[in-house]
Amino acid sequence: MTKLKSVLFDKIAAHRPRTARLNKEFGNVLIDQVTIGQALGGARDVKCLVTDISYLDPMEGIRLRGKNIPETFAALPKAEDGEYPSVESFWYFLLTGEAPDAEATAEIEADFKYRAKIPPYVFDVIKALPKDTHPMVMLSTAVLAMQRESKFTHFYHHGFKKDRAWDYMYEDACDLVAKLPEIAAFIYRWKYKNGDIIAPDTHLDFGANFAHMMGFPKPYDDVARMYFIIHSDHEVGNVSAHATHLVGSALSDAYYALAAGLCGLAGPLHGLANQEVLDWILQFQKKLDGAEPTEENVKQALWDTLNAGQVIPGYGHAVLRRTDPRFEAQFEFAKKHLPEDPLFKLVATIYAVAPGVLKEQGKTKNPWPNVDAGSGMIQYHYGLREYDFYTVLFGVGRALGVLANLIWDRALQYPLERPKSVTTDMLEKWAAEGGAKE
Ligand code: NMX
Ligand code: MLT
């Protein structure tokens, strides 16, 4: 057994009595109430999900296992020749809340290499899709196609026991995480580089191997590591995490559940916003026709977008009420590594004026940039210019968070998720009576 799995085994055994006691002794303690506005308004802020992997404070931003983004980067061992932690060490941290030592990290690297081999039919499935299929369809289709490999589903049909289910979910989750870089890189090279596929290099870690298979030199290995880590988890209420958790609650395996999460991530109000940001920027540059971007012409373009009834992509958030620390992490990276890049300068100008424009418009509760406002500029700088691929990168990162959650969901034996719906007649009755009586 790897050190990760044995540490996880102990953590799960220690955690289970906490959940069981809360359920048994305090199950009736009230932690929230639901208003008509929340029932009609996407359940915003309703506290009805539990995860210990990350927590999103509106004013502070994300904490992964209790650590903010800079603390997370500082706590974990750096990848060889890199400024950022390896994805392997981060996986250990997400699952256990502890930083692994060098030996445990090396063990995960070896384990992932063993699991990384992709069944050849997956490539055939991707190739069978029309070339102009969106890369997120290619990714979710590839994940779903591999469902026949699920160890969890095999276990379900051969002597399933609830308390051991996490072990099989762990196996599926690790298999999936290990395979995703090659699948993503294959989609990229197949779709945009004439099928000139680069074989994996088994000597490299997750981030460096991804950079290698994409065909991008250093420091893209670190870009990949940073990108996957910051996109991994944003508590469990966001669309991709919630969809994965919901589907998993039916005891669907990790392949079904992750494919569902990726389909949610592909929406323009969620992960697709990163490609929309780049699209907005490039269209704006085209309109400028060689003229310099200024605060005035950027402001005008933002108003034109709003007046056309569209959202400003990369701005606003359902929970955050400040600049997203994940945007800040990317902004700092760009300031250090690509300060003269025209796209970075434009993103900085948009950052200077967009919050004011959105405040003046007065609709959004949060006028500040989210993670998607800054991710494209870095990818574009390092040569990844096919921006409809950007959500795939988000998907590979997000898989780490949602799959870690899925393992813990089964470990803590969370039941089938099934909230109650009501009718409009009922809402009108409760509105007239000043609240639901039953
Ligand atoms: N540009 C224009 N209007 C906006 C924006 C924006 N960036 N953000 C929110 N609004 C509007 C929103 O459409 C709504 O209008 P209406 O009442 O006409 O329906 C109003 O402001 C109130 O919305 P909020 O309560 O502030 O935001 P909500 O929680 O509903 O939605 C987002 C959150 C993230 C979906 C929203 O801010 C948005 O559409 N942003 C642009 C898309 C984007 O960047 N998405 C990526 C989010 C991060 N991620 O990766 O998932
Ligand atoms: C995310 O990373 O999932 C997004 O910021 C959206 C969210 O948290 O709701």
Side-chain angles (χ1 to χ4, degrees):
M1 196 190 289
T2 58
K3 180 166 178 200
L4 168 58
K5 203 163 180 183
S6 88
V7 170
L8 194 52
F9 188 89
D10 292 342
K11 297 247 166 203
I12 289 168
H15 198 114
R16 278 178 170 166
R18 293 173 64 195
T19 306
R21 176 165 178 257
L22 284 167
N23 233 332
K24 193 166 170 227
E25 294 178 33
F26 303 100
N28 288 328
V29 173
L30 198 68
I31 59 164
D32 213 340
Q33 289 179 318
V34 182
T35 63
I36 289 180
Q38 288 173 313
L40 289 173
R44 208 64 91 253
D45 296 332
V46 178
K47 297 186 204 80
C48 62
L49 294 165
V50 187
T51 176
D52 298 295
I53 292 178
S54 67
Y55 180 74
L56 180 62
D57 181 86
M59 297 313 300
E60 194 201 34
I62 194 68
R63 278 190 180 267
L64 301 155
R65 288 289 184 184
K67 295 196 190 305
N68 65 24
I69 302 237
E71 286 167 357
T72 302
F73 288 151
L76 296 174
K78 304 274 168 289
E80 211 180 299
D81 294 337
E83 284 180 26
Y84 285 86
S86 71
V87 173
E88 289 87 344
S89 68
F90 180 67
W91 177 240
Y92 186 106
F93 171 70
L94 267 191
L95 282 173
T96 65
E98 289 175 11
D101 56 23
E103 203 183 319
T105 308
E107 209 177 30
I108 303 168
E109 274 182 33
D111 186 46
F112 277 7
K113 273 166 197 152
Y114 175 73
R115 294 173 188 271
K117 185 119 190 64
I118 318 271
Y121 66 81
V122 177
F123 301 123
D124 295 339
V125 168
I126 296 170
K127 286 185 195 166
L129 294 166
K131 267 262 170 86
D132 63 356
T133 301
H134 194 279
M136 280 302 279
V137 177
M138 293 181 167
L139 181 64
S140 49
T141 302
V143 167
L144 197 53
M146 287 192 291
Q147 189 277 337
R148 66 193 285 283
E149 313 295 328
S150 171
K151 293 165 183 162
F152 180 91
T153 287
H154 185 268
F155 174 60
Y156 185 80
H157 294 294
H158 299 86
F160 182 76
K161 285 199 182 56
K162 236 180 171 181
D163 67 333
R164 289 182 53 218
W166 75 265
D167 190 344
Y168 294 85
M169 192 56 91
Y170 172 93
E171 290 300 319
D172 277 4
C174 291
D175 284 349
L176 261 168
V177 168
K179 287 174 173 41
L180 285 174
E182 189 176 344
I183 293 175
F186 180 89
I187 292 170
Y188 180 71
R189 305 283 311 180
W190 170 251
K191 189 170 159 65
Y192 308 104
K193 301 290 171 193
N194 295 319
D196 179 14
I197 307 300
I198 303 173
D201 180 340
T202 52
H203 298 99
L204 300 174
D205 70 270
F206 194 101
N209 193 27
F210 181 69
H212 159 76
M213 290 184 288
M214 292 290 285
F216 297 129
K218 268 182 176 305
Y220 194 81
D221 49 355
D222 258 342
V223 171
R225 293 179 192 115
M226 171 189 67
Y227 203 90
F228 294 148
I229 291 173
I230 65 173
H231 284 83
S232 62
D233 210 35
H234 222 223
E235 59 176 41
V236 82
N238 69 76
V239 170
S240 49
H242 191 195
T244 308
H245 165 80
L246 173 68
V247 172
S249 85
L251 297 187
S252 303
D253 58 53
Y255 297 85
Y256 281 125
L258 178 63
L262 292 171
C263 290
L265 191 69
L269 297 188
H270 193 18
L272 201 80
N274 57 12
Q275 84 166 50
E276 302 292 279
V277 168
L278 238 281
D279 190 56
W280 191 96
I281 287 177
L282 296 183
Q283 285 199 35
F284 171 68
Q285 280 185 326
K286 207 162 143 199
K287 272 189 224 142
L288 282 182
D289 200 20
E292 277 296 305
T294 62
E295 293 207 353
E296 279 60 44
N297 56 30
V298 168
K299 209 184 258 183
Q300 188 53 50
L302 293 169
W303 274 114
D304 290 347
T305 300
L306 293 176
N307 292 335
Q310 288 160 7
V311 294
I312 295 175
Y315 280 75
H317 200 274
V319 178
L320 282 166
R321 296 294 175 256
R322 57 159 277 170
T323 295
D324 192 332
R326 301 171 299 175
F327 172 83
E328 287 170 341
Q330 295 175 95
F331 203 76
E332 286 309 310
F333 181 97
K335 244 201 242 168
K336 183 168 169 194
H337 294 279
L338 40 130
E340 295 310 321
D341 187 298
L343 222 52
F344 167 59
K345 289 183 176 168
L346 184 48
V347 167
T349 309
I350 298 171
Y351 184 27
V353 296
V357 168
L358 283 165
K359 277 186 204 162
E360 197 179 329
Q361 191 216 24
K363 273 171 109 182
T364 176
K365 295 188 189 73
N366 179 46
W368 304 106
N370 60 56
V371 65
D372 296 319
S375 49
M377 64 177 172
I378 299 176
Q379 298 296 334
Y380 204 83
H381 179 87
Y382 289 109
L384 208 177
R385 300 200 159 178
E386 300 84 356
Y387 53 85
D388 58 356
F389 187 77
Y390 291 174
T391 312
V392 170
L393 301 172
F394 196 155
V396 174
R398 182 49 53 98
L400 299 165
V402 300
L403 291 172
N405 271 290
L406 217 47
I407 296 167
W408 272 97
D409 287 352
R410 295 293 70 78
L412 299 178
Q413 300 176 22
Y414 289 158
L416 180 79
E417 190 171 299
R418 202 336 187 155
K420 182 81 185 81
S421 62
V422 295
T423 66
T424 307
D425 280 347
M426 287 170 164
L427 291 185
E428 284 169 345
K429 180 170 170 280
W430 294 329
E433 292 171 359
K437 304 279 184 286
E438 62 270 31

